[in-house]
Amino acid sequence: MKTRKIPMRTCLGCNEQKTKKELIRVVKMKDGEISVDMTGKMNGRGAYICPDLECLKKARKKKSIDRSLSVPISEEIYDRLEEELKNGK
């Protein structure tokens, strides 16, 4: 039986490769709307980040999510991500 390939993605905060299921996805849809995708199945361009506040702070400071999605990310999205990380723990 053939073994399945596990999709790996790079966190934009710490630059570590992890499995896709371990990371949180931020999505830019075709209409330009930015949202947080906890399921990992929404259509659109994705950027991944660890479920860790330190990684989020690093990504926010370096604006790596903004660069990855080629659009400025509002503070509201960062605040929502921060709340989800605090509530998830």
Side-chain angles (χ1 to χ4, degrees):
M1 191 171 210
K2 193 174 181 182
T3 57
R4 292 190 93 152
K5 182 180 170 196
I6 299 170
M8 301 291 281
R9 299 291 184 264
T10 303
C11 171
L12 293 174
C14 61
N15 287 324
E16 288 183 25
Q17 278 207 335
K18 298 186 179 184
T19 62
K20 191 175 171 182
K21 290 184 179 185
E22 290 180 52
L23 301 170
I24 296 172
R25 186 170 183 239
V26 180
V27 182
K28 174 185 160 189
M29 293 177 227
K30 283 190 176 186
D31 61 359
E33 182 183 338
I34 306 292
S35 63
V36 179
D37 178 18
M38 298 307 277
T39 64
K41 297 182 188 253
M42 290 176 75
N43 289 332
R45 172 87 172 146
Y48 294 85
I49 190 156
C50 293
D52 180 27
L53 282 174
E54 287 303 311
C55 284
L56 178 62
K57 287 178 184 176
K58 285 179 188 176
R60 192 176 201 170
K61 185 177 180 181
K62 294 189 295 187
K63 297 191 180 228
S64 53
I65 298 175
D66 301 49
R67 276 186 275 118
S68 177
L69 298 177
S70 303
V71 67
I73 307 294
S74 69
E75 292 298 314
E76 181 180 300
I77 298 293
Y78 283 118
D79 293 340
R80 182 169 166 217
L81 266 169
E82 195 171 323
E83 283 300 313
E84 295 214 17
L85 292 178
K86 286 179 183 175
N87 293 339
K89 288 187 175 184

